[in-house]
Amino acid sequence: MTHTMPGMRPETPCIAICSTAQGDDICRGCGRTFDEISRWIFMDQAERDKVWDRIEAEGTALRFTTYKERA
């Protein structure tokens, strides 16, 4: 998995496929938890980078697999 430099990342990991709306604890689209999605706009850059680092390391969300062209 190639990791994106923090300054080169999109503003949000969201790819508009949110499975937390269907009851998942972790979104299959972006890889964030429901709590991370809810707090995203209130997070500082260091907190966002920590989330980005985790979801990139896991690499299982649809944004890194099936729908990587949306990323």
Side-chain angles (χ1 to χ4, degrees):
M1 167 62 48
T2 302
H3 294 267
T4 308
M5 295 298 295
M8 304 296 290
R9 292 172 172 153
E11 185 175 331
T12 177
C14 183
I15 60 167
I17 300 175
C18 192
S19 68
T20 59
Q22 306 300 317
D24 289 342
D25 291 330
I26 298 177
C27 180
R28 286 182 248 159
C30 70
R32 293 179 293 170
T33 65
F34 179 78
D35 183 59
E36 290 167 341
I37 293 167
S38 300
R39 294 184 318 102
W40 189 260
I41 62 170
F42 304 107
M43 289 181 177
D44 62 28
Q45 193 59 51
E47 292 172 304
R48 289 179 179 188
D49 288 342
K50 185 176 178 181
V51 173
W52 269 109
D53 291 344
R54 181 184 57 75
I55 65 174
E56 286 179 339
E58 290 171 357
T60 56
L62 294 174
R63 83 170 343 274
F64 302 112
T65 59
T66 307
Y67 294 101
K68 60 186 169 185
E69 74 279 355
R70 289 188 183 197

